[in-house]
Amino acid sequence: ATTEIYTLSLHDALPISGKVNWITETTVNGAKKQLCMRFQSGKCDLGSACRFHHGCAYPMPSGEACGKNHGAMTHDKTPH
């Protein structure tokens, strides 16, 4: 089986009907990493054992993920 990894463009990241499409991958220290979708809603309890990156998937104006150490569900409530 293969896994498809993609990054949404800024156009795709714009809210549609009040919903925001999260970014699915980011670059960390020059390497592409797939973001943990369970972390985005606070449901990943694997911590450092998780094979996915724990960074915020909320789309920024640049079209890239926020990447900070909080889930996308709490992005608006987290100071930046």
Side-chain angles (χ1 to χ4, degrees), residues 2-79:
T2 60
T3 301
E4 184 174 322
I5 300 172
Y6 61 94
T7 302
L8 299 173
S9 69
L10 177 58
H11 173 76
D12 292 331
L14 295 174
I16 300 170
S17 303
K19 294 182 182 181
V20 173
N21 292 322
W22 295 339
I23 305 298
T24 59
E25 73 174 24
T26 191
T27 303
V28 179
N29 298 324
K32 289 197 181 236
K33 301 282 185 176
Q34 188 171 358
L35 290 162
C36 178
M37 292 297 112
R38 293 181 59 79
F39 175 77
Q40 305 311 315
S41 57
K43 294 182 179 176
C44 183
D45 58 1
L46 297 176
S48 62
C50 183
R51 67 183 213 156
F52 302 107
H53 182 68
H54 284 188
C56 179
Y58 194 90
M60 300 304 289
S62 66
E64 297 179 4
C66 166
K68 305 259 188 212
N69 192 26
H70 58 267
M73 294 291 287
T74 60
H75 176 83
D76 289 338
K77 299 175 186 127
T78 305

